[in-house]
Amino acid sequence: MVEMHEMVPGRRFDRYHELGQYAFGEKLGLYIVVPQQLIVEVGVCIVYMVTGGKSLKKFHDTVCSTCKDIKLTYFIMIFASVHFVLSHLPNFNSISGVSLAAAVMSLSYSTIAWGASVDKGVQQNVQYGYKAKTTAGTVFNFFSALGEVAFAYAGHNVVLEIQATIPSTPEKPSKGPMWRGVIVAYIVVALCYFPVALVGYWMFGNSVQDNILISLEKPAWLIAMANMFVVVHVIGSYQIYAMPVFDMMETVLVKKLNFKPSTTLRFIVRNLYVAFTMFIGITFPFFGGLLGFFGGFAFAPTTYFLPCIMWLAIYKPRKFSLSWWTNWICIVFGLMLMILSPIGGLRQIILQAKDYEFYS
């Protein structure tokens, strides 16, 4: 996608759907890309609602262990209340500040997570085998895990929008700095994920919670701080993914349905969207299952195989050349991921929902 951003001389594809329209045609490109992007953005917002609520609850339980137990539903509502305010910011000129804060937070709570795990040491009776008792269960958990990995690399959906902000000249195209940015970003991602995954599993085995900060208890002040970092990170990220949705909804209402662009329209549309994601989050507060489901269903296409199909459609590499093989392998893998992970994620949600009392 970084390479395709400026492949047509004198033109830049600043949005995912613009590239889709160039590859597949005006109408078809829109129909292929926009619904998938919407599912991704709405899916992320729902998962962030649950994450924010769970981290707030953990913060409350850690800081005040003797307090009356407050239900997760209320914490998700508290988290949503922030967005009822933030969603009305006119635009995101200050987004670099929000992004920087989010990046610092990510590194901080990841480091706290594995640091506190090392401090806690290997647990008694730790087990490293499969969690599921049956072969079918193990296979479904594997599918769901693939979806969770896909979810972790969600940045591809906004890569063109990010690259659009980099100045570009024929001598110095934007892909130079962008490639450097991508490489640095993935090194940081690796620094965040790998220690948490390896150390967390080593200490807790298969009994680790899908959000490791919930497995950790002590030192209380540090775990409380890490959960607060998660909340700050997720507040910023929610807005980043919600902005394009607001943009799309308002454009459709004004251009297609002839509503008058006004503050009232914005106020209603944005509050309804926040309320909708809050409602879904309260109904299905299953972090791991949601990740697996949305990761496969929405992220696999936009991340793994749509860019490859576009590349084949536009560049038409020679049959059986390296580029041709690489793209086809990614397409097949992405398709399998899209079909299999939602099955695993959905099964996880159904199993968790069995013992869960809705809106209790």
Side-chain angles (χ1 to χ4, degrees):
M1 291 185 82
V2 173
E3 290 290 330
M4 286 194 282
H5 179 68
E6 293 179 286
M7 64 194 167
V8 179
R11 188 173 170 192
R12 296 179 75 170
F13 297 107
D14 293 342
R15 301 271 177 282
Y16 204 137
H17 66 82
E18 288 175 15
L19 187 59
Q21 284 173 303
Y22 182 76
F24 307 123
E26 286 294 314
K27 271 272 174 72
L28 188 62
L30 268 184
Y31 290 138
I32 291 176
V33 176
V34 172
Q36 302 207 32
Q37 255 198 310
L38 264 178
I39 295 170
V40 166
E41 281 150 359
V42 176
V44 173
C45 289
I46 293 168
V47 171
Y48 284 163
M49 275 286 172
V50 177
T51 315
K54 280 196 169 179
S55 295
L56 277 175
K57 180 170 165 52
K58 178 70 179 179
F59 175 78
H60 169 265
D61 297 349
T62 310
V63 171
C64 179
S65 48
T66 51
C67 291
K68 183 172 171 281
D69 189 43
I70 300 177
K71 296 189 176 75
L72 178 62
T73 302
Y74 296 121
F75 283 106
I76 295 178
M77 286 177 173
I78 294 167
F79 181 74
S81 64
V82 179
H83 295 293
F84 282 118
V85 178
L86 284 184
S87 297
H88 301 292
L89 291 177
N91 59 4
F92 248 137
N93 284 339
S94 57
I95 202 136
S96 53
V98 175
S99 298
L100 182 67
V104 173
M105 297 292 159
S106 309
L107 265 170
S108 309
Y109 64 71
S110 307
T111 312
I112 292 173
W114 67 262
S117 301
V118 170
D119 181 60
K120 196 163 183 175
V122 179
Q123 299 300 289
Q124 286 178 325
N125 310 325
V126 65
Q127 290 180 330
Y128 297 116
Y130 292 127
K131 214 171 185 173
K133 303 285 181 282
T134 59
T135 316
T138 305
V139 173
F140 281 124
N141 284 353
F142 171 71
F143 290 159
S144 183
L146 281 178
E148 291 187 36
V149 175
F151 195 101
Y153 292 89
H156 305 71
N157 288 290
V158 287
V159 75
L160 293 174
E161 281 87 342
I162 295 169
Q163 196 169 344
T165 61
I166 298 174
S168 181
T169 60
E171 298 77 47
K172 277 190 169 173
S174 63
K175 68 181 183 190
M178 189 65 188
W179 267 118
R180 287 199 293 279
V182 169
I183 290 164
V184 171
Y186 278 120
I187 290 170
V188 175
V189 167
L191 289 175
C192 287
Y193 286 141
F194 281 102
V196 175
L198 301 170
V199 174
Y201 194 67
W202 179 28
M203 298 305 161
F204 295 101
N206 61 15
S207 66
V208 70
Q209 288 270 357
D210 46 20
N211 177 349
I212 190 167
L213 291 171
I214 296 192
S215 286
L216 294 161
E217 300 294 336
K218 291 185 173 54
W221 63 272
L222 193 65
I223 303 308
M225 194 166 78
N227 278 290
M228 228 40 227
F229 283 170
V230 174
V231 173
V232 173
H233 175 193
V234 174
I235 286 174
S237 303
Y238 181 96
Q239 287 299 322
I240 290 172
Y241 281 95
M243 278 285 158
V245 184
F246 297 150
D247 192 39
M248 278 187 210
M249 291 196 298
E250 285 158 17
T251 307
V252 167
L253 286 171
V254 171
K255 288 195 172 163
K256 291 273 193 295
L257 304 174
N258 302 325
F259 276 83
K260 211 167 86 211
S262 63
T263 326
T264 323
L265 180 74
R266 276 179 55 158
F267 184 76
I268 295 169
V269 165
R270 295 179 179 209
N271 283 351
L272 277 175
Y273 176 74
V274 175
F276 168 74
T277 52
M278 176 184 83
F279 174 71
I280 302 287
I282 291 170
T283 313
F284 303 105
F286 312 122
F287 182 65
L290 283 173
L291 282 191
F293 180 75
F294 282 121
F297 182 61
F299 285 63
T302 49
T303 302
Y304 294 107
F305 64 84
L306 264 184
C308 298
I309 295 173
M310 289 177 186
W311 182 274
L312 290 173
I314 293 167
Y315 281 105
K316 301 185 174 58
R318 204 176 68 252
K319 261 192 184 172
F320 309 118
S321 64
L322 181 64
S323 167
W324 188 88
W325 274 115
T326 317
N327 280 295
W328 272 109
I329 289 167
C330 287
I331 291 169
V332 171
F333 174 71
L335 265 174
M336 281 162 61
L337 194 64
M338 178 181 143
I339 296 161
L340 300 174
S341 350
I343 301 172
L346 200 59
R347 176 177 172 274
Q348 227 177 323
I349 293 175
I350 292 166
L351 288 179
Q352 286 172 314
K354 261 188 195 163
D355 316 320
Y356 177 75
E357 294 174 15
F358 285 96
Y359 310 112
S360 58

